[in-house]
Amino acid sequence: MRRISDNTDLLADHVSDQTTPHREAVPLGRAERGFCGRIDAICAAENSCGLCASELESRLIEIGFAEGARVEILHEGMFGHDPIAVRVNNATVALRRREAMAIHVRSLEDVDR
Amino acid sequence: MTVAVAGDKHFALIGTPNCGKTALFNALTGSRQKVANYPGVTVERKSGTFTTPSGMTLSVVDLPGTYSLRARSPDEEVTRDVILGRLAGEKLPDILVAVADATNLRVALRLVLELKRIGRPLLLVLNMIDIARRRGIEFDLDRLSAELGVPVTTSIAVRRGGTDELLRRMDELVAAAPATDRMDWQPLTGAELRVAQREADRIMGTAVTLPGRPDTLTGRIDAVLLHPVAGMVFLLALLFFMFQAVFTWAEPVMKLIEAGFTDLGVLAKGLLPPGVLQSLLTDGIIAGVGGVLVFLPQILILFLFILLLEDLGYMARAAFLMDRIMGGAGLHGRAFIPLLSSFACAIPGIMATRVIDSRKDRLTTILVAPLMTCSARIPVYTLIIGAFIPDRELWGWVGLQGFVMFALYATGILSALLVSFVIKRLFWRGHMAEPFMLELPDYKMPRPKSVAIGLWTRARIFVRRAGTIIFAMAVLIWFLASFPGAPEGATDPAIDYSFAAMIGKALVPVTSPLGFNWQINVALVPGMAAREVAVAALGTVYSIEGGEEAAVQIGQALAGNWSIATALALLAWYIFAPQCASTLAVIKRETGSWAWMGVTFAYMLALAYVAALVTYRVAVAFGLG
């Protein structure tokens, strides 16, 4: 079970790094509840789940996770903060963090504000 | 199969899951619909007819919901094949009606763009337009239609008159529908999907104005119902309430049905001369079919809950909450609903596994569904517990009898989790779990009409089963229990001389290590039709006349004849034993293979034997033999 605290550190590192105007995209699978951002890329690693990478990418796009969409993590499960419920533009989608690793996002403060 | 008269136009409804497609279908066809299976596959085919303002009668088929035509599950394959005219025996739809949830148009527009590429006449319906407008979403329908290159109309499926505009447009379309045979379709690649979604987003941007704030009611409810702790507590409380309802609300009706079949049996006995025909009708058909139909109220109450929760939008959330727990055991979050149904009866549970995309996940769920304690086990459990477990308090208000009942349920659930874990390790080793991706729709008030149609469909399917397969099994088992008849001057009950008794006695060497005597074996044979028939069969072998106090009397007879160890072993046996021919038949049909039915039968039988053996030996060791 992946611990969320490691990921928080990862996010914190980025926050402290104020000099870069556009920080690196992070996988949605590592983001915390309350995270708000925009999808930068859908890019699945091979053997990351039960599907081949291109199939997982297609499914993610079909359910709404396309580049440019606004995402927000609304809820998370009881064990291991998994799965997550994500607001994608105007819809809410539930998925596991493992699959959400293929969704690369930029925090909304970076792109918009 | 809808037989369309030449010149009649045939429509197909297609849309993403949760777009209100089925509600629209119900609104269009009302009672003029029928549910069947597509030939060769176990996907439900819902079709119906309706009349347009100009007086034309059109036929329509409601296709399974899908996000694309790439077809990832048997359901979605049907959708693709019907649309492309590839399904043998299925009429190619003349006009495709794409149904979209007006509150959630983005993904639907991409599907419309994909459908447009096929080149068939297409109409886009923005359903639930009332909810969308109330939320402040504005539509420029002309612009949307021009950008998409597809006629667009709106509907409110759940309101009277809400489909008038749609019907009018259908009239126009039928009059103008060009005959086109162009049908070139290739699955979209990832890059094409991205392009399509970008185009859909662009069209959204030009023709649809979204309000600043999303639906806050759903958000507020979810803050509680999807809360990691509060959400879980609510789900458990809801399940507890459901079980209470299934068992307490159904009881008066079940008593009525039981009494009805008893009266029918008495009536048949009075009308027919004693003999083979009378016995076949009363002991075989009326008792056998009645014994199964008596579960109809429980199944309907359970389905009422399931349909209500589904229409409310809660079921997807239950799957979300349960996914991690079930995932640990190798089950998919979506397996939650089928397994829940299996508490009433494994048959609707196994049929409900169709919602699971992945074949492997679906097979695992089918294999463990019969381990959930179905209501047919209850009469057997109650009889044995009542006869052997003393009615005393365990801790405070917890009774020992109730505790044993609970333990039986818990053992069923735990073993289902354990078996699915083993299946995952044994059969699907090295295979990683399919992704769990599920849209959580906004909460909506369920419509009584839709729920009623859903319940009616379930009831019809169940009754039809009772009239066919269960009927046939009842006749077979009656035959085994009645022939050959008792010889002249026999003193023992006739069943002692039957094939069933021969089987029972032949099985003694196998079952004696479990503490079963041949009378139990005899009861197990008719119990194959439906578990609870074993109760009646025990009554017959211990020659007790049926009636009001029959159950109590059987209990007394059993208490005098069996040791507690035997009774406990029989309880353990019933948790696992594949004692239901209809369930096995459904597994065969749903998996399309005798092998999986065989696997289910073998593993359950093995578990039952081991569990009964261990229970008996342990009980004997504790001096209960």
Side-chain angles (χ1 to χ4, degrees), chain A residues 67-83:
Chain A
E67 281 88 351
R70 185 185 182 281
V71 287
E72 181 184 349
I73 300 185
L74 296 179
H75 310 281
E76 49 186 22
M78 189 170 172
F79 306 101
H81 304 264
D82 198 29

Side-chain angles (χ1 to χ4, degrees), chain B residues 254-562:
Chain B
M254 291 175 81
K255 285 226 169 86
L256 265 177
I257 295 178
E258 232 162 42
F261 274 98
T262 310
D263 291 349
L264 197 64
V266 171
L267 186 74
K269 264 203 175 110
L271 287 179
L272 290 168
V276 176
L277 187 65
Q278 187 214 55
S279 168
L280 170 65
L281 203 64
T282 56
D283 302 336
I285 296 170
I286 296 179
V289 173
V292 177
L293 276 186
V294 78
F295 293 106
L296 187 61
Q298 285 190 336
I299 289 176
L300 286 186
I301 292 175
L302 192 76
F303 269 110
L304 175 68
F305 274 98
I306 290 175
L307 287 168
L308 282 176
L309 292 176
E310 200 123 41
D311 282 11
L312 264 170
Y314 184 73
M315 272 308 184
R317 280 147 176 105
F320 172 83
L321 290 168
M322 292 302 291
D323 178 64
R324 192 62 190 247
I325 297 171
M326 305 193 37
L331 285 165
H332 195 269
R334 285 200 188 185
F336 178 69
I337 301 160
L339 293 183
L340 189 64
S341 312
S342 301
F343 279 109
C345 175
I347 295 165
I350 289 167
M351 294 196 304
T353 58
R354 291 169 189 170
V355 297
I356 304 169
D357 301 341
S358 144
R359 178 173 162 77
K360 292 192 172 82
D361 287 334
R362 184 163 173 239
L363 269 174
T364 313
T365 314
I366 289 177
L367 288 184
V368 302
L371 288 176
M372 302 317 239
T373 304
C374 68
S375 47
R377 288 178 175 99
I378 296 169
V380 183
Y381 285 176
T382 343
L383 171 72
I384 299 174
I385 290 177
F388 289 93
I389 309 294
D391 186 14
R392 61 179 170 84
E393 309 243 298
L394 207 53
W395 310 282
W397 48 276
V398 181
L400 183 62
Q401 291 190 336
F403 177 77
V404 171
M405 194 71 162
F406 172 80
L408 292 170
Y409 269 88
T411 312
I413 297 169
L414 286 179
S415 51
L417 294 178
L418 211 67
V419 168
S420 62
F421 185 77
V422 171
I423 290 173
K424 191 178 152 194
R425 286 294 133 96
L426 211 63
F427 292 134
W428 324 134
R429 202 171 36 200
H431 160 84
M432 283 172 79
E434 286 268 317
F436 168 78
M437 260 182 238
L438 195 59
E439 212 171 310
L440 303 180
D442 288 343
Y443 289 107
K444 276 176 210 84
M445 275 312 284
R447 294 289 148 172
K449 190 180 165 191
S450 258
V451 173
I453 289 177
L455 267 184
W456 170 237
T457 311
R458 296 291 141 204
R460 254 192 347 206
I461 291 173
F462 184 77
V463 170
R464 195 164 51 214
R465 290 193 52 76
T468 52
I469 293 177
I470 296 171
F471 175 87
M473 289 309 298
V475 171
L476 174 69
I477 283 152
W478 164 82
F479 177 80
L480 288 178
S482 310
F483 288 97
E488 286 287 324
T491 47
D492 294 332
I495 196 172
D496 289 13
Y497 303 94
S498 67
F499 290 120
M502 291 177 201
I503 299 171
K505 285 171 183 158
L507 285 175
V508 166
V510 185
T511 60
S512 59
L514 315 178
F516 292 4
N517 54 21
W518 72 266
Q519 286 92 339
I520 297 181
N521 295 346
V522 172
L524 293 183
V525 176
M528 280 299 293
R531 292 177 173 90
E532 72 284 2
V533 176
V535 173
L538 281 173
T540 318
V541 279
Y542 285 110
S543 38
I544 289 154
E545 282 296 314
E548 273 299 297
E549 291 89 37
V552 181
Q553 287 179 26
I554 298 171
Q556 285 164 354
L558 296 188
N561 278 294
W562 299 356

Side-chain angles (χ1 to χ4, degrees), chain A residues 43-59:
Chain A
C43 182
E46 223 34 87
N47 298 321
S48 58
C49 72
L51 301 172
C52 71
S54 61
E55 174 65 23
L56 176 60
E57 286 176 20
S58 293
R59 288 204 195 177

